[in-house]
């Protein structure tokens, strides 16, 4: 619900000056007339009127511009940063992870058509020649890099474009020269272990090893086959020392580039897995020990985290052995990015989406501190929770519910699985609207032959109330929803005269007291009017000496009375 509204008038005395507040008023007409008077009387070069609406939840004003008249604002050119220079100045700087990621973005379409990664482009002379010959592709990539860099740093655009054109030409020439000089030996006639031992003394050993491994993938097609080849190279690598680190370093970078492409990940893990199951499989690869411990605690986790096979399983073994620590962190961050995005994990199965999100949350939280910080994991699921409380998702989530009571139970589970204060409040509003609706009251008060009895309905409401108290809603939301459930339970009990039935029942006084105590403690009826009336009836019965003496010798009844706050 919107809060108080007022209007603010801002003016610019001259064209280049900044906006300054003139007046604030609750009269819209007065604000608009004041802005027009400022221009007609030549008191200002421009005027603006904004509508300010107070948000009661955040305490902040939401601004809406409703009028702007006069001279337009001058666009200020960014000031050039003193001593600013392009981000990359020499060909070796293109081989850093950040530069490689940028190349992957600006040449994404070309790399996809060639079926290669940015790492391979930087280490294969034939790919460099092919890109250089394309002309337009390389020119567009240079512009994609130069334009935003020029805007952010204030450097001259043409100078930045010329710089990156020269850098691209120098990088291509360097790579072609290395290929012509035979700097990248083939693995067809020698093992990668022998080559790694020979290269360990070379100055450009990382560059050369990258070219050797990239050349070894030249004949492989498809992400799955290429990853299988990389894992074979890891198995054939030296057993220890710097030679092994040289091979693993190059393999890790290529594997990171391959798995960064969404279509490659789907091909490697298998096309039968949906997006959520693919993320769960990735988590099982990067955090196998944590997932196995969770499966031991809850065997249902095994159904939600697919077992990977083939090259992915071999990669998982390498990740579990600690061969690729940077790749593990990169994959974990990829999972959190996908969780935080708006893409549905299971588009046609809202219930399954909540299940897979819960699985991912448990696994990533268990691995927090080793791969990611706990804050990164929490922020990702807070962002995801925003999409779980939208009308579209909630409507799809409860569409399969056949009864309003079932809808309330589903919404309670939704409240349990969203995180973040604002998201909890939004989910609580959906649940509150359901439990306070006339639909639920009519459904619960309706009696049908062979349907549930009043006692069974009260038992269900008591269970629902306990679930609401366990999902950690805000204090106000929890109290309002619990009270609504309790009032509905009281209405059902009053309609059926359940307490009178207990009083007239052919049962011992101990049995009657036990039934009342279960209602008082919220076990068989929701806390509220029904439980309060049951308390009054129990107190009346305990005033009778014979009943009090009989209750005193029943340990189980005494324990329930103590829990209910009653004394004999």
């Amino acid at each position: 619900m919107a809060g108080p509204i007022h209007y603010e008038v801002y003016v610019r005395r001259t064209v280049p000056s900044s906006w300054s507040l003139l007046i604030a008023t609750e009269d819209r007409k007065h604000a608009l007339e004041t802005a027009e008077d400022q221009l007609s009387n030549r008191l200002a070069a421009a005027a603006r009127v904004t509508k300010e609406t107070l948000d009661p939840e955040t305490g902040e004003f939401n601004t809406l511009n409703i009028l702007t008249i006069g001279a337009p604002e001058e666009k200020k050119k960014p000031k050039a940063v003193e001593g600013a220079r392009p981000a990359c100045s020499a060909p070796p700087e293109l081989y850093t992870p950040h530069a490689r990621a940028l190349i992957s973005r600006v040449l994404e379409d070309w790399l996809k058509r060639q079926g290669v990664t940015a790492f391979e482009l930087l280490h294969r002379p034939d790919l460099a020649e092919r890109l250089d010959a394309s002309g337009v592709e390389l020119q567009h990539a240079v512009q994609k890099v130069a334009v935003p860099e020029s805007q952010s740093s204030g450097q001259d655009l043409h100078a930045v474009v010329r710089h990156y054109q020269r850098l691209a030409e120098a990088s291509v020439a360097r790579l072609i020269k290395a290929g012509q000089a035979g700097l990248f030996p083939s693995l067809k006639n020698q093992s990668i272990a022998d080559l790694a031992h020979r290269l360990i003394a070379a100055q450009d050993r990382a560059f050369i090893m990258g070219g050797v491994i990239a050349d070894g993938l030249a004949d492989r097609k498809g992400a799955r086959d290429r990853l299988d080849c990389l894992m074979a190279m890891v198995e054939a690598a030296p057993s220890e020392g710097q030679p092994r680190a040289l091979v693993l370093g190059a393999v890790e970078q290529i594997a990171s580039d391959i798995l960064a492409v969404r279509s490659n990940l789907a091909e490697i893990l298998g096309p039968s897995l949906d997006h959520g199951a693919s993320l769960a499989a990735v988590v099982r690869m990067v955090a196998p020990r944590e997932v196995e411990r969770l499966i031991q605690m809850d065997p249902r986790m095994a159904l939600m985290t697919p077992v990977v096979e083939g090259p992915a399983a071999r990669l998982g073994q390498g990740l579990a052995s600690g061969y690729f620590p940077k790749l593990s962190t990169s994959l974990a961050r990829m999972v959190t990015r996908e969780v935080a995005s708006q893409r549905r994990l299971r588009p046609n199965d809202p219930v399954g989406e909540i299940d897979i999100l819960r699985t991912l949350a448990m696994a990533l939280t268990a691995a927090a501190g080793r791969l990611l910080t706990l804050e990164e994991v929490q922020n990702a699921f807070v962002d995801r929770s925003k999409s779980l409380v939208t009308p579209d998702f909630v409507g799809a989530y409860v569409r399969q519910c056949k009864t309003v009571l079932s809808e309330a139970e589903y919404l309670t589970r939704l409240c349990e699985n969203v995180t973040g204060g604002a998201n909890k409040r939004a989910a609580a509003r959906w649940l509150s609207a359901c439990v306070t609706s006339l639909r639920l009251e009519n459904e619960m008060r309706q009696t049908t032959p062979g349907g549930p009895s009043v006692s069974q309905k009260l038992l269900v409401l008591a269970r629902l109330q306990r679930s609401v108290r366990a999902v950690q809603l805000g204090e106000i939301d929890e109290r309002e929803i619990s009270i609504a459930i309790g009032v509905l339970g009281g209405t059902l009990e009053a309609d059926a005269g359940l307490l009178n039935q207990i009083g007239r029942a052919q049962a011992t006084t101990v049995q009657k007291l036990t039934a009342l105590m279960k209602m008082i403690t919220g076990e068989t009826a929701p806390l509220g009017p029904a439980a309060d009336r049951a308390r009054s009836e129990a107190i009346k019965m305990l005033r009778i000496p014979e009943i009090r003496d009989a209750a005193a010798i029943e340990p189980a009844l005494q324990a329930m009375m103590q829990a209910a706050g009653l004394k004999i």
Side-chain angles (χ1 to χ4, degrees):
M1 183 175 179
I5 298 174
H6 72 274
Y7 301 89
E8 296 180 354
V9 180
Y10 294 86
V11 296
R12 284 190 291 115
R13 299 299 180 186
T14 61
V15 174
S17 62
S18 58
W19 292 103
S20 60
L21 178 64
L22 181 64
I23 64 167
T25 176
E26 296 181 357
D27 189 339
R28 177 188 176 99
K29 182 178 179 181
H30 176 57
L32 296 173
E33 290 177 349
T34 301
E36 293 171 352
D37 290 343
Q38 289 290 310
L39 261 68
S40 61
N41 296 330
R42 297 185 178 180
L43 299 176
R48 172 182 292 169
V49 180
T50 62
K51 178 182 177 181
E52 305 289 336
T53 306
L54 179 65
D55 188 337
E57 293 187 359
T58 63
E60 298 179 352
F61 283 96
N62 297 322
T63 302
L64 175 64
N65 186 18
I66 60 175
L67 177 67
T68 300
I69 53 178
E73 293 184 73
E74 292 183 345
K75 293 184 178 180
K76 298 181 180 180
K77 296 182 179 180
K79 296 181 179 180
V81 181
E82 294 184 6
R85 65 180 187 87
C88 290
S89 302
E93 294 182 9
L94 295 176
Y95 292 78
T96 62
H98 176 73
R100 206 171 68 245
L102 181 59
I103 292 172
S104 298
R105 288 198 300 272
V106 299
L107 286 172
E108 180 180 2
D109 293 337
W110 187 86
L111 293 172
K112 188 177 295 185
R113 289 198 301 271
Q114 304 300 323
V116 296
T117 64
F119 185 93
E120 292 167 272
L121 172 62
L122 293 168
H123 290 85
R124 278 177 53 184
D126 61 317
L127 291 176
E129 285 186 282
R130 200 178 305 167
L131 177 62
D132 189 42
S134 67
V136 176
E137 294 280 357
L138 187 57
Q139 181 65 25
H140 284 175
V142 168
Q143 291 173 353
K144 290 177 185 178
V145 175
V147 171
E149 185 172 331
S150 172
Q151 292 175 344
S152 63
S153 65
Q155 300 176 78
D156 180 67
L157 174 59
H158 297 291
V160 178
V161 170
R162 287 193 297 271
H163 168 80
Y164 280 115
Q165 285 175 336
R166 290 193 297 269
L167 180 61
E169 293 170 358
S171 301
V172 170
R174 173 178 181 250
L175 193 53
I176 293 175
K177 183 179 178 181
Q180 292 173 345
L183 197 62
F184 306 125
S186 174
L187 292 175
K188 294 180 180 179
N189 301 321
Q190 57 187 325
S191 69
I192 195 170
D194 294 339
L195 185 58
H197 283 291
R198 289 203 305 272
L199 288 178
I200 200 62
Q203 185 176 0
D204 292 337
R205 55 184 175 272
F207 175 64
I208 298 173
M209 180 56 72
V212 169
I213 294 179
D215 181 68
L217 297 176
D219 298 331
R220 300 299 184 111
K221 303 298 181 183
R224 190 179 181 89
D225 190 26
R226 288 151 58 77
L227 183 62
D228 191 48
C229 181
L230 288 175
M231 294 302 101
M233 292 181 185
V234 171
E235 293 171 358
S239 58
E240 59 184 1
Q242 292 185 353
R244 180 174 180 80
L246 183 63
V247 176
L248 294 185
V251 169
E252 183 174 37
Q253 293 179 71
I254 298 180
S256 297
D257 287 358
I258 291 175
L259 293 171
V261 181
R262 185 176 291 170
S263 58
N264 289 345
L265 188 64
E267 179 185 345
I268 290 170
L269 295 176
S272 62
L273 299 181
D274 59 22
H275 188 46
S278 296
L279 296 182
V282 172
V283 172
R284 189 163 190 168
M285 282 198 303
V286 301
R289 290 186 293 273
E290 290 84 353
V291 172
E292 289 302 324
R293 285 199 296 267
L294 290 173
I295 291 176
Q296 292 176 3
M297 296 170 58
D298 185 1
R300 291 175 298 177
M301 281 282 293
L303 302 176
M304 304 299 296
T305 51
V307 178
V308 293
E309 300 175 347
R314 298 171 70 184
L315 176 61
Q317 293 172 0
L319 294 172
S321 302
Y323 296 160
F324 312 116
K326 293 180 181 178
L327 178 58
S328 296
T329 302
S330 175
L331 290 174
R333 287 208 166 92
M334 180 272 292
V335 172
T336 57
R337 283 197 306 271
E338 291 297 323
V339 168
S341 70
Q342 296 299 315
R343 185 184 182 192
R344 289 283 300 273
L345 302 186
R346 287 185 171 168
N348 301 320
D349 185 8
V351 176
E353 179 150 346
I354 288 183
D355 290 336
I356 197 66
L357 279 173
R358 188 178 183 88
T359 300
L360 292 173
M362 293 172 62
L364 289 174
T365 302
R370 185 173 67 85
L371 299 173
L372 301 168
T373 65
L374 183 59
E375 184 179 4
E376 287 178 297
V377 176
Q378 291 175 339
N379 290 340
F381 284 93
V382 168
D383 291 339
R384 169 60 63 168
S385 295
K386 294 177 184 177
S387 65
L388 299 183
V389 293
T390 60
D392 290 342
F393 182 86
V394 174
Y397 178 61
V398 301
R399 187 174 297 137
Q400 60 182 323
C401 298
K402 296 181 179 180
T403 64
V404 185
L405 180 61
S406 174
E407 183 178 323
E409 292 172 341
Y410 269 58
L411 290 173
T412 303
R413 188 166 183 268
L414 178 65
C415 292
E416 180 184 5
N417 287 281
V418 298
T419 184
N423 300 324
K424 283 281 190 182
R425 289 193 294 273
R429 285 194 291 270
W430 287 107
L431 178 57
S432 178
C434 180
V435 299
T436 58
S437 67
L438 188 60
R439 294 186 306 132
L440 180 60
E441 182 178 348
N442 291 339
E443 178 183 290
M444 297 301 290
R445 297 180 73 173
Q446 183 179 7
T447 57
T448 55
S453 65
V454 173
S455 298
Q456 291 172 327
K457 292 179 180 179
L458 289 176
L459 184 64
V460 171
L461 289 177
R463 185 171 62 245
L464 178 63
Q465 190 182 60
R466 290 196 298 272
S467 299
V468 170
R469 292 171 182 250
V471 298
Q472 299 179 347
L473 296 175
E475 182 180 351
I476 296 176
D477 293 326
E478 179 185 316
R479 183 170 63 250
E480 290 179 352
I481 295 172
S482 296
I483 288 175
I485 296 173
V487 169
L488 179 57
T491 302
L492 294 179
E493 186 279 324
D495 288 348
L498 184 61
L499 292 177
N500 292 333
Q501 294 178 24
I502 293 175
R504 295 194 303 268
Q506 298 295 323
T508 64
T509 55
V510 172
Q511 291 174 332
K512 293 179 181 180
L513 272 178
T514 300
L516 293 175
M517 291 303 159
K518 289 183 177 180
M519 293 181 66
I520 295 171
T521 56
E523 184 177 344
T524 58
L527 299 178
D532 294 340
R533 289 194 289 268
R535 178 184 292 272
S536 299
E537 289 296 324
I539 292 174
K540 290 179 183 178
M541 292 181 66
L542 289 172
R543 288 174 181 164
I544 301 174
E546 293 80 1
I547 296 178
R548 193 164 55 246
D549 293 340
I553 60 175
E554 293 290 337
L557 182 58
Q558 288 184 15
M560 285 191 286
M561 292 175 61
Q562 186 176 2
L566 296 177
K567 297 181 180 179
I568 298 178

